[in-house]
Structure formats: structure tokens, C-alpha cells
Amino acid sequence: MPVLDSKIIVITGATHGIGKRLAEKCAQAGAMTVLVARNENELQSRCHHLNENSNGNHRYYALDISNLAQIAEFVNWLKFENINPSGLVNCAGVYGPIGTTVDIDMVEFTSAIQINFLGTVYMCHAIAPLMKSKSIKKIVNFSGGGAASPFPFYSAYATSKVAIVRFTENLSLELDNDEFNINCIAPGFVVTRLHKDTIAVGPSQAGKAFYDQTVKQLEKQGVSPDVAANLTVFLLSGQSDGI
């Protein structure tokens, strides 16, 4: 496993799915993590678990990443605590409304875009200026379904993930001279609570093809979250410098 000794990694969506597993992997690799999610009770539990099972002084902060005012407060907290991250991972995401675009709720559509896409943008905008590591600074964003091909009935999710890919490409070029490496990961079908949304709405609303695929993947347990988590640790480490 790559070494993350002395690195401070901010992870959004850190209480579930890939974010949860990634926090464990980062702690095992020697990093101090700052866990970010909306549910403070879940954050406290995850942080306590990490501190009991590693040597790191792990921290947490309850935050809605789609809320600029809350992000500003988070930045002030990081400054007050003298926490200068060397890595940022944007894992937080939602499916948003499922169904044909002419039928879904536009308020829910907007909320999904704000969480998935703008939340990623907001965090990069806020945290990158705080990153003062002597080594190359790292940002890893998460793309996913629909970024490379059409994903009907999931337009909010798919559109936000396409936007994250182009945003990541742009930001990586904009900050290239400031010693940043910025990458994006599509983790494959990882079994998370998101897929409960597909099962809940059924094949008529989610589309029969994807509904059937979801059922099959859930039965097979999908792709292990370790795959994306291990790749992310590599991209956060010095072993990936220059990528």
C-alpha cells in the first residue's frame, strides 16, 4: 500500500460506501483524515472507529457540501484548527430524481446537481487555497454512471457526473503550475445505498434494462469498494506524482 504518512486528507461522503472505505484505507496508510458528511452522529461514530484502530488524530465536520455558507464556516474551522490539507477527495453524491426528464421534479433535479457537481466545485474552490503541502497536492473527484455513455431516466445524476469530468480536466490544467495533481475516478457498480432508489421506483420508472442490471449486480455484490479506495490512495500518494 502507498504511504500517506504526515498527509492530511479531507474526504466528503465519508460515512458510507466508497468514502467510508477510503477513510479506513487512508488511516491504514498513515494519513490523518478529516471526515465530511451531513449526519453528525454517523461522522462521530466513524471518526471514533478510526481513532481506535489507527494512530491518527482523525477529525470530522458535519457539512452540506451544496451550501456555500456552510463551506465557508468549514474553511474557517480548518484555519482555526490549523489544519492544512494535502489531499481532497470528493466522494459525496446522490442519484437524484429517477424517471423521464419531462416527468421528474425539477427541484429534486436542481438539488442533485448542487450536491454532485456544485458540491465538488465548491469544495475544490474552498480547499485548494488551503493546501500548503511541501509535496505535490492531490485532488480526486468521483465520476460515475453516465459520464461516458447515455444513462436515461437518471439525467440529473448522469449530467452532473459528465460535468465533474470536464471540471476535473479544466482544474488540473489551471493548477498544474501550482504543484497539484487532479484526477477523476469512475468506480464501477459498487453496492451502495444509492441502488435502493432504483429498486424502490421499479423498472417502469428506472428503465427495465438498468433495473434488471441493478438486480443482477446486487446479487453478485458488484465491484468491491476496495478497488476505487485503493486507486484513490495511490492517487493521493507520492507514487502517483505527475499523473
Side-chain angles (χ1 to χ4, degrees):
M1 178 179 286
V3 175
L4 299 180
D5 287 346
S6 79
K7 293 185 180 294
I8 301 174
I9 310 298
V10 175
I11 304 170
T12 72
T15 55
H16 291 277
I18 296 170
K20 174 182 175 181
R21 190 71 185 109
L22 173 61
E24 295 170 351
K25 292 279 187 178
C26 286
Q28 291 168 9
M32 168 189 166
T33 64
V34 180
L35 311 182
V36 174
R38 284 182 287 188
N39 189 306
E40 186 162 5
N41 289 334
E42 291 178 350
L43 281 168
Q44 187 176 29
S45 175
R46 291 309 308 161
C47 193
H48 178 72
H49 173 80
L50 290 180
N51 283 324
E52 278 198 330
N53 291 277
S54 71
N55 295 323
N57 179 28
H58 305 285
R59 309 290 295 276
Y60 69 89
Y61 193 95
L63 169 67
D64 177 356
I65 61 168
S66 69
N67 188 311
L68 272 172
Q70 290 187 25
I71 289 179
E73 293 174 359
F74 176 51
V75 168
N76 288 335
W77 176 80
L78 289 171
K79 291 178 179 178
F80 180 79
E81 296 291 332
N82 197 29
I83 297 173
N84 296 312
S86 49
L88 166 66
V89 186
N90 289 298
C91 281
V94 297
Y95 259 160
I98 301 171
T100 59
T101 304
V102 296
D103 294 324
I104 58 177
D105 187 323
M106 284 292 103
V107 173
E108 293 180 9
F109 185 100
T110 301
S111 177
I113 296 294
Q114 288 175 329
I115 294 169
N116 293 351
F117 175 54
L118 292 180
T120 295
V121 174
Y122 292 164
M123 288 296 292
C124 290
H125 175 268
I127 302 303
L130 302 180
M131 297 169 73
K132 300 176 181 178
S133 171
K134 294 180 181 178
S135 59
I136 293 178
K137 300 171 284 282
K138 311 282 187 165
I139 297 176
V140 180
N141 297 327
F142 270 74
S143 174
S149 60
F151 192 5
F153 309 108
Y154 292 78
S155 284
Y157 179 78
T159 304
S160 68
K161 294 303 182 178
V162 171
I164 287 172
V165 172
R166 181 49 50 85
F167 169 70
T168 302
E169 292 170 338
N170 288 347
L171 192 65
S172 69
L173 294 173
E174 292 170 358
L175 299 184
D176 184 47
N177 292 331
D178 295 322
E179 298 187 321
F180 277 85
N181 286 167
I182 304 173
N183 287 280
C184 190
I185 291 175
F189 192 104
V190 178
V191 176
T192 69
R193 58 182 181 172
L194 285 184
H195 302 300
K196 293 180 181 179
D197 296 345
T198 297
I199 301 302
V201 301
S204 62
Q205 195 168 326
K208 187 176 187 307
F210 185 70
Y211 179 87
D212 290 345
Q213 178 187 346
T214 298
V215 171
K216 289 179 181 178
Q217 290 284 1
L218 290 175
E219 290 174 350
K220 295 177 181 178
Q221 293 302 303
V223 177
S224 169
D226 285 352
V227 175
N230 287 338
L231 175 56
T232 305
V233 170
F234 167 73
L235 290 173
L236 291 169
S237 76
Q239 293 183 17
S240 69
D241 285 356
I243 296 178

